[in-house]
Amino acid sequence: MIVEDAGSTAAGAAVIDQTSGQGFDLVIRAERALLPEGVSRAEIGVKDGRIAEIAAGSSLTGAVAADADIVEVDETQILLPGLVDTHVHVNDPGRSEWEGFDSATRAAAAGGVTTIIDMPLNSLPPTVNVEALDVKREVAGPKAFVDVGFWGGAIPGNTADLAPLHEAGVYGFKCFLEDSGVEEFPPLEPEEMRADMAELARFDGLLIVHAEDHEVMASVPKGPGGPKFSDFLATRPKEAENVAIARVIEAARETGARAHILHLSSADALPQIAAAKAEGVKLTVETCPHYLVFSAEEIPDGATTHKCCPPIREEANREALWQGLIDGTIDCIVSDHSPSTAELKLLESGDFGSAWGGISSLQLGLSLVWTEAAERGIDLAEVVRWMSSAPAAVARVENKGSIVVGNDADFAIFAPDEKWTVSATELYHRNQITAYDTRTVRGAVKSTILRGAPVSFDEPQGRLLTVR
């Protein structure tokens, strides 16, 4: 039976009886859609949460259910794949006053992020065995407004837990080579890191590394702390990153394991990274919005909202990181959303030495990076690749990160030319403090679609993901 309904407006597409159980249940018509082959006018048919057909520059050929939802994306906006953020500290359970799955995943959705992978530390217990993973999943499941996966942790003494965690579905394993900031997640010695890589190589696991070298850090005078950002920067020199990254490269070369460098801030490490990749070492690298937006020279003394580890470095370093993205040495951009309470940031004293190190940006990443990229003549398609398909590829998150048939129907509708000013008090982050407060940015996420349904900020609809 032909039904004259919303679906009948799809040119050239049959409309079938909704009782047949056939036909697209969502149709998106976009004057501009970011497809793998480029930006094009497109119609996209969605069935059961998956992309079932893409008609670039034409109309869908498949049937449209009589009760199908129709989304129109006008010429001032662009349809993007949902972003994939593989570096998020949700801190839940145990430190949910810092953040939580309900607040973090709302913030993600508001920023066009449809998939996050949660870090194994700052929550209690840390995700260093299957029992702890089960606890985290139990907490996350009822609260997730976007899809959520999990990293496991590699700490001294848990090598035997790595394979079971992998079998339980974590995407890889995080370790530190320097103090993590929380006592329940101690760092690995270089030989322990190599031993864990050898174990991961058996099942093609991934080690993701906070690469600051303990020996270098221990040799640097710490000083009295205080409000001067330059004093804090001197305590975490580039050499600490460069030496640690060299250790990671050597261990990956020897074991054949996959390794990933987290939150690269030292551009001095780019030549050795490029050489290792050219050699065939299984190495990937990320950086973060704060290293691409800020420079050390502009951070006011006492502005502990800007403290992170490794730290924000000089302007020349920032520009070199951008070049590392352009030439492919750096693979992707992720948030390293690492929030805390305002009290832990010591906003009144401004003591960089004692304040918690972490920057809140989960809701803001796309607008922040696009603002800076546009000023450098970088296309939006490249920004989205760095923030969607590339992190999905690094972590091997299936069916995410690009608008292709068979992928989950995850989208962000983005107004790339709209300018707005960040107000920390209007963010979904549990603690509404951020280094980006009052910053004017370009590009606004207008709506987010998760597996074919608009994200509801009242009813969680996210799923828990496992690696396959």
Side-chain angles (χ1 to χ4, degrees):
M1 180 178 71
I2 303 297
V3 180
E4 297 294 323
D5 205 328
S8 65
T9 62
V15 182
I16 63 172
D17 188 344
Q18 62 184 2
T19 63
S20 69
Q22 300 175 356
F24 305 128
D25 44 49
L26 169 68
V27 173
I28 303 177
R29 301 192 186 107
E31 289 299 313
R32 293 188 294 166
L34 181 54
L35 308 178
E37 59 270 24
V39 176
S40 172
R41 183 174 67 83
E43 286 192 1
I44 298 170
V46 174
K47 178 66 176 174
D48 297 329
R50 292 284 184 95
I51 300 171
E53 183 184 347
I54 300 170
S58 60
S59 300
L60 293 167
T61 61
V64 180
D67 61 347
D69 292 321
I70 308 295
V71 173
E72 303 277 356
V73 182
D74 69 32
E75 66 277 358
T76 69
Q77 301 169 348
I78 183 167
L79 183 72
L80 306 178
L83 303 187
V84 177
D85 192 336
T86 56
H87 195 148
V88 180
H89 293 269
V90 181
N91 310 326
D92 194 8
R95 293 188 175 98
S96 57
E97 71 275 13
W98 296 14
E99 191 62 280
F101 283 102
D102 51 354
S103 51
T105 54
R106 281 189 180 100
V113 177
T114 51
T115 302
I116 67 168
I117 305 186
D118 173 57
M119 283 290 164
L121 74 157
N122 301 342
S123 56
L124 295 169
T127 316
V128 295
N129 53 47
V130 172
E131 293 75 18
L133 175 64
D134 290 341
V135 170
K136 184 165 281 193
R137 282 179 168 156
E138 184 177 355
V139 170
K143 301 179 181 179
F145 286 81
V146 300
D147 288 353
V148 178
F150 303 94
W151 296 110
I155 63 171
N158 84 324
T159 302
D161 291 297
L162 303 183
L165 276 165
H166 173 75
E167 291 298 320
V170 300
Y171 283 86
F173 303 88
K174 180 175 185 175
C175 74
F176 280 74
L177 298 181
E178 166 59 0
D179 178 31
S180 71
V182 291
E183 63 181 2
E184 68 275 1
F185 204 96
L188 295 180
E189 294 292 336
E191 281 306 308
E192 293 176 290
M193 177 185 69
R194 187 196 176 285
D196 281 355
M197 276 200 197
E199 169 68 2
L200 298 185
R202 291 194 313 104
F203 50 83
D204 197 26
L206 174 65
L207 190 70
I208 64 175
V209 185
H210 181 121
E212 288 182 287
D213 185 73
H214 176 72
E215 291 183 6
V216 173
M217 294 286 294
S219 69
V220 176
K222 292 300 183 285
K228 290 184 67 65
F229 182 77
S230 58
D231 289 344
F232 165 65
L233 182 59
T235 68
R236 302 191 90 101
K238 290 180 181 179
E239 183 187 4
E241 278 191 88
N242 302 339
V243 169
I245 289 169
R247 293 188 191 276
V248 173
I249 290 170
E250 183 60 28
R253 179 186 292 117
E254 289 179 0
T255 63
R258 293 188 295 135
H260 178 73
I261 303 299
L262 297 166
H263 43 50
L264 179 70
S265 89
S266 172
D268 287 359
L270 290 171
Q272 65 172 322
I273 291 168
K277 287 186 167 191
E279 178 190 336
V281 175
K282 297 175 183 177
L283 184 70
T284 51
V285 183
E286 69 184 39
T287 193
C288 306
H290 37 275
Y291 303 126
L292 301 170
V293 171
F294 295 118
S295 63
E297 292 89 341
E298 68 183 289
I299 297 176
D301 290 343
T304 53
T305 50
H306 295 63
K307 179 182 176 179
C308 57
C309 301
I312 294 163
R313 303 195 187 277
E314 300 81 4
E315 183 176 353
N317 184 88
R318 176 183 63 181
E319 294 309 314
L321 291 176
W322 276 105
Q323 186 56 47
L325 282 161
I326 292 167
D327 65 30
T329 305
I330 301 172
D331 297 271
C332 59
I333 303 171
V334 293
S335 68
D336 187 14
H337 178 68
S338 185
S340 72
T341 62
E343 290 77 15
L344 288 173
K345 273 295 188 182
L346 303 180
L347 300 175
E348 292 186 5
S349 69
D351 183 350
F352 275 102
S354 301
W356 176 258
I359 292 180
S360 297
S361 64
L362 182 54
Q363 189 171 332
L364 304 170
L366 179 57
S367 298
L368 293 167
V369 177
W370 168 232
T371 301
E372 297 294 320
E375 291 180 358
R376 292 164 173 81
I378 298 169
D379 192 76
L380 179 61
E382 193 77 335
V383 169
V384 174
R385 183 180 68 81
W386 290 328
M387 302 186 76
S388 192
S389 61
V394 167
R396 296 184 178 175
V397 184
E398 294 187 344
N399 303 318
K400 303 286 189 181
S402 57
I403 301 175
V404 298
V405 171
N407 269 9
D408 289 346
D410 296 349
F411 306 101
I413 298 175
F414 188 61
D417 298 321
E418 183 175 325
K419 292 186 177 180
W420 57 285
T421 300
V422 175
S423 172
T425 59
E426 296 176 0
L427 300 176
Y428 283 96
H429 304 164
R430 178 149 299 165
N431 293 279
Q432 294 170 320
I433 54 174
T434 179
Y436 302 103
D437 191 33
T438 74
R439 194 176 189 91
T440 297
V441 294
R442 175 182 178 182
V445 174
K446 309 306 290 184
S447 62
T448 302
I449 296 170
L450 178 67
R451 282 178 283 99
V455 171
S456 165
F457 289 86
D458 299 315
E459 186 69 27
Q461 63 196 62
R463 293 180 181 173
L464 304 186
L465 305 177
T466 59
V467 70
R468 297 176 185 173

